[in-house]
Amino acid sequence: MKNITKSIIALFAVVALSCSVEDVQDRPVIEGVDSPVLTAPTSGAAYVLSPANATAQAERFTWKSANYGGAVEVVYTIEIDKKGNAFKTPKDLASRKSENQASVSVETMNNAALALNSTPFAPSEFEIRIKSTVGTEVMVSNVVGIVITPYTTENPKLWVPGGYAKASGYPNDWDPATSPQLSASAYGKVDFEGFINFNDAGSEYKFTSFPEWKGEYAAGATPGTILASGPNNLKIPAAGYYLIVVDTEKLTYSATKTAWGIIGDGTPAGWDNSTAMTYDKTTKVWTLTANLTAKEMKFRANNAWDYNLGDTGANGTMEYGGDNIKVPSAGNYTITLDLSSPRNYKYSLTKN
Protein backbone atom coordinates (compact mmCIF):
# COMPACT_ATOMS: atom_id res chain seq x y z
CA MET A 1 0.00 0.00 0.00
CA LYS A 2 2.90 2.34 0.88
CA ASN A 3 4.49 1.62 -2.51
CA ILE A 4 1.25 2.59 -4.34
CA THR A 5 1.03 5.84 -2.40
CA LYS A 6 4.63 6.68 -3.22
CA SER A 7 3.98 6.01 -6.91
CA ILE A 8 0.99 8.40 -6.97
CA ILE A 9 2.99 11.13 -5.26
CA ALA A 10 5.79 10.69 -7.78
CA LEU A 11 3.34 10.96 -10.67
CA PHE A 12 1.97 14.27 -9.37
CA ALA A 13 5.51 15.54 -9.00
CA VAL A 14 6.23 14.78 -12.67
CA VAL A 15 3.05 16.57 -13.74
CA ALA A 16 3.92 19.56 -11.58
CA LEU A 17 7.39 19.77 -13.10
CA SER A 18 6.00 19.59 -16.65
CA CYS A 19 3.80 22.64 -15.86
CA SER A 20 6.63 24.78 -14.57
CA VAL A 21 6.51 28.56 -14.33
CA GLU A 22 8.84 28.79 -17.32
CA ASP A 23 6.36 26.83 -19.49
CA VAL A 24 3.47 29.13 -18.53
CA GLN A 25 5.57 32.20 -19.18
CA ASP A 26 6.54 30.90 -22.62
CA ARG A 27 2.89 30.65 -23.76
CA PRO A 28 1.82 33.39 -26.23
CA VAL A 29 -0.28 36.18 -24.71
CA ILE A 30 -3.39 36.99 -26.76
CA GLU A 31 -4.29 40.65 -26.73
CA GLY A 32 -5.96 43.04 -29.10
CA VAL A 33 -3.65 45.14 -31.25
CA ASP A 34 -5.78 46.55 -34.10
CA SER A 35 -9.59 46.68 -34.06
CA PRO A 36 -11.63 45.46 -37.05
CA VAL A 37 -12.76 48.11 -39.52
CA LEU A 38 -16.27 48.05 -41.02
CA THR A 39 -15.94 48.86 -44.72
CA ALA A 40 -19.48 48.24 -46.04
CA PRO A 41 -22.07 49.58 -45.87
CA THR A 42 -21.13 53.21 -45.66
CA SER A 43 -22.74 55.82 -43.45
CA GLY A 44 -26.27 56.82 -44.48
CA ALA A 45 -27.15 53.59 -46.30
CA ALA A 46 -30.94 53.19 -46.37
CA TYR A 47 -33.00 50.01 -46.64
CA VAL A 48 -36.72 49.91 -47.43
CA LEU A 49 -37.58 46.30 -46.67
CA SER A 50 -40.42 44.29 -48.21
CA PRO A 51 -41.88 40.86 -47.38
CA ALA A 52 -41.83 40.05 -51.09
CA ASN A 53 -38.01 39.98 -50.88
CA ALA A 54 -37.70 38.34 -47.46
CA THR A 55 -35.12 35.75 -48.54
CA ALA A 56 -33.09 38.11 -50.71
CA GLN A 57 -29.88 39.78 -49.58
CA ALA A 58 -30.41 43.11 -47.87
CA GLU A 59 -26.69 43.85 -47.55
CA ARG A 60 -23.29 42.21 -47.75
CA PHE A 61 -21.33 43.48 -44.77
CA THR A 62 -17.53 43.59 -45.17
CA TRP A 63 -14.73 44.46 -42.76
CA LYS A 64 -10.96 44.47 -42.34
CA SER A 65 -9.56 41.84 -40.00
CA ALA A 66 -8.72 42.50 -36.38
CA ASN A 67 -5.12 41.97 -35.23
CA TYR A 68 -4.57 39.94 -32.07
CA GLY A 69 -0.79 39.67 -32.45
CA GLY A 70 -0.73 36.18 -33.91
CA ALA A 71 -2.44 33.50 -35.95
CA VAL A 72 -5.65 32.94 -33.98
CA GLU A 73 -9.25 32.16 -34.87
CA VAL A 74 -11.36 35.31 -34.56
CA VAL A 75 -15.13 35.36 -34.22
CA TYR A 76 -16.72 38.39 -35.90
CA THR A 77 -20.27 39.51 -35.01
CA ILE A 78 -22.30 42.18 -36.79
CA GLU A 79 -24.17 44.15 -34.13
CA ILE A 80 -27.05 46.60 -34.64
CA ASP A 81 -28.76 48.94 -32.19
CA LYS A 82 -30.99 52.01 -32.25
CA LYS A 83 -29.12 55.25 -32.85
CA GLY A 84 -27.94 56.82 -29.61
CA ASN A 85 -28.33 53.67 -27.49
CA ALA A 86 -24.54 53.11 -27.35
CA PHE A 87 -25.04 49.39 -28.11
CA LYS A 88 -26.56 48.76 -24.69
CA THR A 89 -29.09 46.30 -26.16
CA PRO A 90 -27.69 45.25 -29.55
CA LYS A 91 -29.06 42.52 -31.79
CA ASP A 92 -26.83 40.23 -33.85
CA LEU A 93 -27.23 40.26 -37.63
CA ALA A 94 -24.63 37.57 -38.33
CA SER A 95 -21.56 35.83 -36.89
CA ARG A 96 -18.54 34.47 -38.79
CA LYS A 97 -15.24 32.78 -37.87
CA SER A 98 -12.09 34.29 -39.38
CA GLU A 99 -14.02 35.70 -42.35
CA ASN A 100 -14.30 39.26 -43.63
CA GLN A 101 -17.85 39.35 -44.95
CA ALA A 102 -21.38 38.18 -44.25
CA SER A 103 -24.57 38.34 -46.30
CA VAL A 104 -27.65 39.39 -44.30
CA SER A 105 -31.14 38.70 -45.64
CA VAL A 106 -34.06 41.11 -45.72
CA GLU A 107 -35.93 38.97 -43.20
CA THR A 108 -33.01 38.91 -40.74
CA MET A 109 -32.54 42.68 -40.93
CA ASN A 110 -36.28 43.23 -40.61
CA ASN A 111 -36.57 41.00 -37.54
CA ALA A 112 -33.70 42.84 -35.86
CA ALA A 113 -35.25 46.24 -36.57
CA LEU A 114 -38.62 45.14 -35.17
CA ALA A 115 -36.93 43.60 -32.11
CA LEU A 116 -35.40 47.02 -31.47
CA ASN A 117 -38.91 48.52 -31.33
CA SER A 118 -38.93 50.31 -34.66
CA THR A 119 -42.28 51.19 -36.20
CA PRO A 120 -43.29 49.15 -39.29
CA PHE A 121 -43.36 51.11 -42.56
CA ALA A 122 -41.59 54.09 -40.98
CA PRO A 123 -37.85 54.83 -41.34
CA SER A 124 -35.75 54.45 -38.17
CA GLU A 125 -32.09 55.27 -37.59
CA PHE A 126 -29.73 52.52 -36.45
CA GLU A 127 -26.04 52.05 -35.81
CA ILE A 128 -23.97 49.00 -36.78
CA ARG A 129 -20.49 47.79 -35.87
CA ILE A 130 -18.29 44.69 -35.98
CA LYS A 131 -17.32 42.99 -32.72
CA SER A 132 -14.27 40.71 -32.81
CA THR A 133 -13.68 38.09 -30.11
CA VAL A 134 -10.79 35.77 -29.24
CA GLY A 135 -11.36 34.07 -25.91
CA THR A 136 -12.11 36.90 -23.50
CA GLU A 137 -10.44 39.55 -25.65
CA VAL A 138 -13.03 41.73 -27.41
CA MET A 139 -12.56 44.66 -29.78
CA VAL A 140 -15.13 46.69 -31.72
CA SER A 141 -14.96 48.51 -35.03
CA ASN A 142 -15.97 51.95 -36.12
CA VAL A 143 -19.72 52.70 -35.93
CA VAL A 144 -21.75 53.31 -39.09
CA GLY A 145 -25.22 54.86 -39.13
CA ILE A 146 -27.91 53.39 -41.39
CA VAL A 147 -31.66 53.84 -41.91
CA ILE A 148 -34.11 50.91 -42.04
CA THR A 149 -37.79 50.97 -42.95
CA PRO A 150 -39.08 47.61 -41.69
CA TYR A 151 -42.32 45.86 -42.54
CA THR A 152 -44.82 43.64 -40.82
CA THR A 153 -47.12 41.02 -42.31
CA GLU A 154 -49.62 41.48 -39.50
CA ASN A 155 -52.94 43.08 -40.34
CA PRO A 156 -52.48 46.88 -40.63
CA LYS A 157 -53.99 48.88 -37.78
CA LEU A 158 -55.35 52.31 -37.02
CA TRP A 159 -55.21 53.82 -33.55
CA VAL A 160 -58.12 55.94 -32.28
CA PRO A 161 -56.92 58.54 -29.77
CA GLY A 162 -59.40 61.05 -28.39
CA GLY A 163 -60.77 62.99 -25.47
CA TYR A 164 -63.27 60.21 -24.78
CA ALA A 165 -60.72 57.63 -23.60
CA LYS A 166 -60.43 57.87 -19.80
CA ALA A 167 -64.16 58.32 -19.22
CA SER A 168 -64.82 55.33 -21.49
CA GLY A 169 -62.53 52.85 -19.73
CA TYR A 170 -59.31 53.34 -21.73
CA PRO A 171 -55.99 54.49 -20.20
CA ASN A 172 -55.29 58.02 -21.44
CA ASP A 173 -56.98 60.83 -23.37
CA TRP A 174 -55.41 61.78 -26.70
CA ASP A 175 -52.69 59.13 -26.42
CA PRO A 176 -52.36 57.02 -29.59
CA ALA A 177 -50.16 54.37 -27.94
CA THR A 178 -52.81 53.41 -25.35
CA SER A 179 -55.89 54.05 -27.45
CA PRO A 180 -58.23 51.38 -28.92
CA GLN A 181 -57.37 50.05 -32.36
CA LEU A 182 -59.04 49.18 -35.62
CA SER A 183 -57.73 46.33 -37.79
CA ALA A 184 -57.75 45.72 -41.54
CA SER A 185 -59.01 42.37 -42.83
CA ALA A 186 -55.55 41.24 -44.01
CA TYR A 187 -52.02 42.39 -44.76
CA GLY A 188 -52.04 45.10 -47.43
CA LYS A 189 -55.76 45.87 -47.00
CA VAL A 190 -57.25 49.27 -46.16
CA ASP A 191 -60.63 48.19 -44.73
CA PHE A 192 -60.37 48.87 -41.00
CA GLU A 193 -62.90 48.05 -38.31
CA GLY A 194 -63.22 47.76 -34.55
CA PHE A 195 -65.56 48.40 -31.63
CA ILE A 196 -65.04 51.35 -29.27
CA ASN A 197 -66.96 52.54 -26.23
CA PHE A 198 -67.79 56.26 -26.02
CA ASN A 199 -69.02 57.30 -22.60
CA ASP A 200 -70.16 60.80 -23.57
CA ALA A 201 -72.00 62.38 -26.44
CA GLY A 202 -69.96 64.76 -28.56
CA SER A 203 -66.68 63.04 -27.72
CA GLU A 204 -63.87 63.93 -30.14
CA TYR A 205 -61.28 61.66 -31.71
CA LYS A 206 -58.96 61.08 -34.67
CA PHE A 207 -57.32 58.13 -36.43
CA THR A 208 -53.55 57.58 -36.59
CA SER A 209 -51.59 55.08 -38.67
CA PHE A 210 -49.06 54.55 -35.88
CA PRO A 211 -49.15 54.40 -32.07
CA GLU A 212 -47.99 58.03 -32.08
CA TRP A 213 -49.02 61.31 -33.65
CA LYS A 214 -48.03 60.36 -37.18
CA GLY A 215 -50.13 59.44 -40.21
CA GLU A 216 -53.20 61.21 -38.85
CA TYR A 217 -56.71 61.24 -40.32
CA ALA A 218 -59.02 64.13 -39.44
CA ALA A 219 -62.64 65.01 -40.13
CA GLY A 220 -63.46 65.72 -43.77
CA ALA A 221 -65.59 68.49 -45.22
CA THR A 222 -68.69 66.28 -45.47
CA PRO A 223 -70.15 63.72 -43.03
CA GLY A 224 -68.61 60.27 -43.37
CA THR A 225 -65.36 61.50 -44.92
CA ILE A 226 -61.86 61.90 -43.55
CA LEU A 227 -58.73 63.77 -44.61
CA ALA A 228 -55.16 62.49 -44.60
CA SER A 229 -54.32 65.55 -42.48
CA GLY A 230 -56.21 68.41 -40.97
CA PRO A 231 -57.09 70.21 -37.74
CA ASN A 232 -60.69 69.08 -37.27
CA ASN A 233 -61.54 66.25 -34.89
CA LEU A 234 -64.23 63.67 -35.54
CA LYS A 235 -67.19 63.70 -33.14
CA ILE A 236 -69.38 60.87 -31.89
CA PRO A 237 -73.10 61.80 -32.03
CA ALA A 238 -74.27 60.05 -28.85
CA ALA A 239 -72.85 57.99 -26.02
CA GLY A 240 -72.66 54.27 -26.76
CA TYR A 241 -70.70 51.29 -28.02
CA TYR A 242 -69.78 51.86 -31.67
CA LEU A 243 -68.65 49.79 -34.62
CA ILE A 244 -66.13 52.04 -36.41
CA VAL A 245 -65.37 51.27 -40.07
CA VAL A 246 -62.70 53.17 -42.03
CA ASP A 247 -61.43 52.97 -45.62
CA THR A 248 -58.13 54.83 -45.87
CA GLU A 249 -58.10 54.60 -49.67
CA LYS A 250 -61.57 56.02 -50.25
CA LEU A 251 -61.15 58.29 -47.18
CA THR A 252 -64.51 57.31 -45.73
CA TYR A 253 -65.69 56.16 -42.31
CA SER A 254 -68.83 55.21 -40.43
CA ALA A 255 -69.75 54.96 -36.75
CA THR A 256 -72.68 52.64 -35.95
CA LYS A 257 -74.02 52.49 -32.40
CA THR A 258 -74.57 48.90 -31.23
CA ALA A 259 -76.21 47.23 -28.24
CA TRP A 260 -75.67 43.47 -28.09
CA GLY A 261 -77.82 40.54 -27.03
CA ILE A 262 -78.37 36.82 -27.57
CA ILE A 263 -81.05 35.19 -29.71
CA GLY A 264 -82.02 31.63 -30.61
CA ASP A 265 -84.22 28.72 -29.53
CA GLY A 266 -81.78 28.08 -26.69
CA THR A 267 -82.30 31.59 -25.24
CA PRO A 268 -85.13 33.01 -23.07
CA ALA A 269 -86.84 34.92 -25.93
CA GLY A 270 -86.31 32.30 -28.66
CA TRP A 271 -85.76 33.44 -32.24
CA ASP A 272 -88.22 36.32 -31.95
CA ASN A 273 -86.32 38.84 -29.81
CA SER A 274 -82.83 39.38 -28.46
CA THR A 275 -82.15 39.07 -24.76
CA ALA A 276 -80.09 42.15 -23.90
CA MET A 277 -76.54 42.01 -22.58
CA THR A 278 -74.76 44.66 -20.46
CA TYR A 279 -71.43 46.30 -21.31
CA ASP A 280 -68.77 46.73 -18.60
CA LYS A 281 -66.23 49.44 -19.50
CA THR A 282 -63.74 48.07 -16.94
CA THR A 283 -63.58 44.53 -18.32
CA LYS A 284 -64.50 45.73 -21.84
CA VAL A 285 -66.89 42.81 -22.39
CA TRP A 286 -70.64 42.35 -22.71
CA THR A 287 -72.15 39.98 -20.14
CA LEU A 288 -75.44 38.28 -19.33
CA THR A 289 -76.59 35.64 -16.85
CA ALA A 290 -79.54 33.64 -18.23
CA ASN A 291 -81.18 30.24 -18.32
CA LEU A 292 -80.42 28.42 -21.59
CA THR A 293 -81.79 25.23 -23.08
CA ALA A 294 -79.72 22.65 -24.96
CA LYS A 295 -80.44 24.17 -28.36
CA GLU A 296 -78.83 27.00 -30.37
CA MET A 297 -78.06 30.70 -30.09
CA LYS A 298 -76.23 33.60 -31.71
CA PHE A 299 -75.18 37.15 -30.82
CA ARG A 300 -76.70 40.11 -32.62
CA ALA A 301 -76.75 43.91 -32.34
CA ASN A 302 -79.70 46.29 -31.97
CA ASN A 303 -82.29 43.47 -31.91
CA ALA A 304 -81.87 43.16 -35.68
CA TRP A 305 -80.00 40.97 -38.15
CA ASP A 306 -77.76 43.63 -39.73
CA TYR A 307 -74.92 42.63 -37.41
CA ASN A 308 -74.95 39.08 -36.08
CA LEU A 309 -72.09 36.87 -34.94
CA GLY A 310 -71.88 33.08 -34.96
CA ASP A 311 -69.13 30.51 -34.53
CA THR A 312 -68.27 28.67 -37.74
CA GLY A 313 -66.10 25.72 -36.79
CA ALA A 314 -67.03 25.88 -33.08
CA ASN A 315 -63.57 27.21 -32.20
CA GLY A 316 -64.59 30.06 -29.90
CA THR A 317 -63.86 32.75 -32.51
CA MET A 318 -66.79 34.43 -34.22
CA GLU A 319 -67.62 35.51 -37.72
CA TYR A 320 -70.32 37.81 -39.07
CA GLY A 321 -73.23 35.61 -40.11
CA GLY A 322 -71.41 32.57 -38.70
CA ASP A 323 -72.98 29.25 -37.69
CA ASN A 324 -75.35 28.97 -34.76
CA ILE A 325 -73.71 28.23 -31.41
CA LYS A 326 -74.84 25.02 -29.70
CA VAL A 327 -75.63 25.25 -25.99
CA PRO A 328 -73.93 22.18 -24.41
CA SER A 329 -76.72 21.44 -21.90
CA ALA A 330 -79.64 23.16 -20.24
CA GLY A 331 -78.86 25.35 -17.25
CA ASN A 332 -78.02 28.77 -15.90
CA TYR A 333 -75.09 30.38 -17.76
CA THR A 334 -72.87 33.44 -17.60
CA ILE A 335 -72.46 34.52 -21.21
CA THR A 336 -69.71 36.90 -22.32
CA LEU A 337 -69.06 38.64 -25.63
CA ASP A 338 -65.62 40.20 -26.12
CA LEU A 339 -65.31 42.59 -29.07
CA SER A 340 -62.32 44.52 -27.68
CA SER A 341 -59.74 42.96 -30.02
CA PRO A 342 -60.55 44.09 -33.58
CA ARG A 343 -61.47 41.25 -35.95
CA ASN A 344 -60.72 38.72 -33.20
CA TYR A 345 -64.12 38.50 -31.56
CA LYS A 346 -64.65 35.89 -28.84
CA TYR A 347 -67.36 34.61 -26.51
CA SER A 348 -67.79 32.20 -23.63
CA LEU A 349 -70.63 30.17 -22.08
CA THR A 350 -69.93 29.28 -18.45
CA LYS A 351 -72.43 27.15 -16.59
CA ASN A 352 -73.15 28.40 -13.06
Side-chain angles (χ1 to χ4, degrees), residues 1-88:
M1 184 68 179
K2 290 182 179 178
N3 291 334
I4 295 174
T5 302
K6 289 179 181 178
S7 298
I8 293 173
I9 293 171
L11 177 61
F12 276 113
V14 172
V15 172
L17 287 171
S18 67
C19 295
S20 65
V21 173
E22 290 78 8
D23 288 340
V24 172
Q25 288 177 340
D26 289 340
R27 292 177 183 173
V29 176
I30 298 173
E31 59 182 2
V33 179
D34 299 312
S35 298
V37 177
L38 181 60
T39 54
T42 56
S43 181
Y47 307 87
V48 179
L49 307 180
S50 167
N53 302 319
T55 60
Q57 176 180 285
E59 179 62 83
R60 181 174 297 279
F61 292 82
T62 62
W63 56 89
K64 293 180 180 179
S65 299
N67 179 9
Y68 282 88
V72 293
E73 184 176 71
V74 183
V75 176
Y76 295 101
T77 304
I78 307 170
E79 293 187 326
I80 182 171
D81 204 349
K82 292 295 283 285
K83 181 181 179 181
N85 198 41
F87 290 90
K88 295 175 184 176

Side-chain angles (χ1 to χ4, degrees), residues 21 57 66 74 77 88 100 160 203 221 238 244 255 257 260 297 347:
V21 173
Q57 176 180 285
V74 183
T77 304
K88 295 175 184 176
N100 296 87
V160 191
S203 295
I244 308 293
K257 187 176 178 179
W260 289 84
M297 58 164 282
Y347 71 96

Side-chain angles (χ1 to χ4, degrees), residues 172-237:
N172 302 304
D173 289 345
W174 295 110
D175 178 22
T178 61
S179 67
Q181 300 172 23
L182 313 179
S183 176
S185 59
Y187 172 74
K189 299 295 185 181
V190 296
D191 54 340
F192 298 87
E193 75 162 48
F195 289 89
I196 299 177
N197 182 50
F198 292 88
N199 196 73
D200 304 309
S203 295
E204 298 187 351
Y205 61 99
K206 279 187 173 182
F207 305 118
T208 65
S209 300
F210 303 94
E212 56 185 299
W213 285 107
K214 188 165 61 175
E216 300 173 32
Y217 291 91
T222 58
T225 65
I226 54 176
L227 297 173
S229 63
N232 296 327
N233 299 328
L234 298 152
K235 290 185 179 181
I236 209 71

Side-chain angles (χ1 to χ4, degrees), residues 218-348:
T222 58
T225 65
I226 54 176
L227 297 173
S229 63
N232 296 327
N233 299 328
L234 298 152
K235 290 185 179 181
I236 209 71
Y241 192 80
Y242 282 80
L243 169 62
I244 308 293
V245 176
V246 179
D247 188 313
T248 54
E249 186 174 73
K250 297 177 181 177
L251 294 178
T252 60
Y253 85 101
S254 64
T256 304
K257 187 176 178 179
T258 64
W260 289 84
I262 60 172
I263 193 167
D265 53 10
T267 70
W271 288 107
D272 295 324
N273 288 291
S274 299
T275 302
M277 305 181 77
T278 301
Y279 181 73
D280 185 329
K281 70 179 184 181
T282 301
T283 62
K284 298 178 179 59
V285 299
W286 292 82
T287 59
L288 170 67
T289 299
N291 293 321
L292 304 179
T293 59
K295 294 185 179 179
E296 295 182 335
M297 58 164 282
K298 295 188 83 171
F299 296 91
R300 72 175 187 172
N302 305 334
N303 203 25
W305 288 106
D306 295 341
Y307 300 102
N308 72 90
L309 291 166
D311 183 3
T312 302
N315 56 8
T317 300
M318 289 179 293
E319 301 83 22
Y320 289 114
D323 293 347
N324 296 341
I325 299 164
K326 296 184 185 300
V327 179
S329 61
N332 184 262
Y333 284 83
T334 297
I335 304 138
T336 67
L337 174 63
D338 186 353
L339 306 176
S340 62
S341 180
R343 295 189 184 274
N344 186 28
Y345 308 134
K346 297 182 180 298
Y347 71 96
S348 66

